[in-house]
Amino acid sequence: MKGIKITNNIRKLRFFHNEMTQQQLAEKVGASRQTIVAVEAEKYTPSLELAFKIAQVFNVEIGEVFMCEIQDSKK
């Protein structure tokens, strides 16, 4: 069976956007700072709506923020 892992470039994008803080990003997308922390740490997969909002903040395509890795999960 194959699994999916969602990774992201949020930390790098924040750095290159005047070192935007997680709180600033959260305010721009209408989420809590804790949500941004969890998404950035890849502990939480955002909704499609939130993912698009994050991409819009950085003025990039969603594929430049989030990537999908297919992984083999052996049982």
Side-chain angles (χ1 to χ4, degrees):
M1 185 172 190
K2 295 190 185 253
I4 296 175
K5 180 178 181 186
I6 305 295
T7 60
N8 68 74
N9 287 320
I10 295 174
R11 186 166 189 238
K12 181 174 77 171
L13 288 164
R14 286 192 306 103
F15 178 80
F16 288 114
H17 280 79
N18 297 317
E19 298 183 16
M20 180 187 295
T21 66
Q22 292 169 329
Q23 182 63 44
Q24 289 169 323
L25 177 57
E27 289 170 3
K28 289 179 182 289
V29 298
S32 69
R33 186 187 65 80
Q34 291 83 358
T35 296
I36 298 301
V37 169
V39 171
E40 191 173 299
E42 300 172 1
K43 296 183 185 302
Y44 173 73
T45 302
S47 68
L48 193 53
E49 180 181 357
L50 180 56
F52 274 105
K53 285 180 178 181
I54 292 169
Q56 286 176 333
V57 166
F58 297 120
N59 199 32
V60 297
E61 296 291 326
I62 197 167
E64 293 181 52
V65 182
F66 297 96
M67 290 70 59
C68 176
E69 296 177 8
I70 306 297
Q71 300 178 323
D72 283 328
S73 56
K74 298 177 181 173
K75 286 190 173 184

